[in-house]
């Protein structure tokens, strides 16, 4: 087992171990004195893993309940959050009990927000079952739901008490979901770690499973470093948004339907690198992204994408920040006026 200790305002460990889901009760009982554990999951992940999680929790003495909601981003809303609160009342969860988020980013984000707010805050554990959730959303304490005004607009910072990453869960992931997580791993290599990037570019979507534990470990370790320096997203944490300014815009242009977050990030990273960096670097990134069956660009016209960037919650007054990596492993935050951004993007 590999452990990464995250030193945020409330420190916690991330455990990376194949088969750890079946031992989660043991690990969770070492970080909490809870009597009850409410497992929050979706109808796909729950079918695959909730039995193993519940059995392990029960064998360690927890009184276990399960709340399941429909899989997908459409469930990350205030209605499902309210149903989770009602379930926690029915199950009799108290301040000293815990929530267990079992699933991908949607489950982690909404369970984290429930944990941040129910009874003014209770402990929660993340058991991320997608690559994207393991390398990004389960670590760092961002929790949220979507509202009609936009994605992730209602949320809170709430660190989990433990994160359990079982790489065996990644072998049941559809290829497109694995690729989605790989886009974030490529991002970590680009912004901070040329060795990670070299490792990723020497594999492809068909064989990356052989080194996935190393990729998960290196990616989370970079996120640890960034989050420890800027837990509440006031500066340096913004470098995690490489590829995201255009990526979110592309996702929005596609109405968040046929375009995954990873596809948006991959295309966004390539488009920014094409525009601001040496052609050799742009070509190297494109080759890597293509090896993971991710897009290097978009059919969406730039003039239609930019209005989505202007409403992004990262925008401040009349300026916009974005990330440029002029060499692998080095990221720079650039901040320009909105009209200058349009000019730089050729509009
Ligand atoms: N996913 C970006 C962050 O955690 O800040």
């Amino acid at each position: 087992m590999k452990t990464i200790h995250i030193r945020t305002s409330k420190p916690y460990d991330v455990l990376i171990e194949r088969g750890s889901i079946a031992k989660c009760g043991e690990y969770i009982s070492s970080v909490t004195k809870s009597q009850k554990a409410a497992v929050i999951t979706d109808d796909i992940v729950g079918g695959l893993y909730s039995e193993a999680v519940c059995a392990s929790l029960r064998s360690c003495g927890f009184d276990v309940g399960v709340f399941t909601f429909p899989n997908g981003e459409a469930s990350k809303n205030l209605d499902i959050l309210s149903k989770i609160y009602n379930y926690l009342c029915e199950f009799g969860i108290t301040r000293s009990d815990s929530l267990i988020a079992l699933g991908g980013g949607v489950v982690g984000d909404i369970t984290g927000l429930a944990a941040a707010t129910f009874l003014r805050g209770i402990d929660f554990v993340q058991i991320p079952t997608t690559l994207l959730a393991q390398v990004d959303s389960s670590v760092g304490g961002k929790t949220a739901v979507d509202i009609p005004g936009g994605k992730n607009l209602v949320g809170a910072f709430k660190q989990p008490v433990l994160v359990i990453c079982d790489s065996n869960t990644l072998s049941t992931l559809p290829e497109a979901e694995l690729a989605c997580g790989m886009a974030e791993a490529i991002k970590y290599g680009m912004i901070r770690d040329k060795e990670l990037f070299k490792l990723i570019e020497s594999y492809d979507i068909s064989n990356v499973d052989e080194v996935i534990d190393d990729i998960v470990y290196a990616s989370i370790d970079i996120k640890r470093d960034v989050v420890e320096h800027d837990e509440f997203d006031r500066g340096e944490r913004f470098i995690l948004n490489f590829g995201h300014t255009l990526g979110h815009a592309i996702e929005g242009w596609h109405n968040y339907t046929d375009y995954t977050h990873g596809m948006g990030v991959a295309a966004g990273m390539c488009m920014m690198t094409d525009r601001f960096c040496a052609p050799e670097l742009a070509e190297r990134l494109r080759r890597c992204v293509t090896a993971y069956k991710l897009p290097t660009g978009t059919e969406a016209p730039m003039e239609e994408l930019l209005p989505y960037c202007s409403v992004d919650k990262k925008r401040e007054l009349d300026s916009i920040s974005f990330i440029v990596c002029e060499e692998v492993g080095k990221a720079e935050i650039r901040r320009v006026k909105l009209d200058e951004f349009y000019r730089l993007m050729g509009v």
Side-chain angles (χ1 to χ4, degrees), residues 14-35:
V14 179
L15 312 180
I16 304 164
E17 183 186 30
R18 288 193 181 254
S20 49
I21 273 200
K23 295 191 252 171
C24 68
E26 196 184 307
Y27 298 139
I28 293 169
S29 56
S30 71
V31 295
T32 174
K33 301 212 173 340
S34 301
Q35 307 267 304

Side-chain angles (χ1 to χ4, degrees), residues 195-213:
E195 294 309 318
L196 172 61
F197 191 85
K198 273 191 204 152
L199 175 69
I200 294 173
E201 71 182 350
S202 57
Y203 286 80
D204 61 45
I205 194 73
S206 69
N207 59 9
V208 71
D209 188 52
E210 291 168 26
V211 285
I212 204 73
D213 290 44

Side-chain angles (χ1 to χ4, degrees), residues 172-182 205-206 292-294:
T172 55
L173 277 187
E175 191 177 86
E177 280 218 43
L178 191 65
C180 191
M182 283 310 300
I205 194 73
S206 69
Y292 289 91
K293 296 198 180 163
L294 288 160

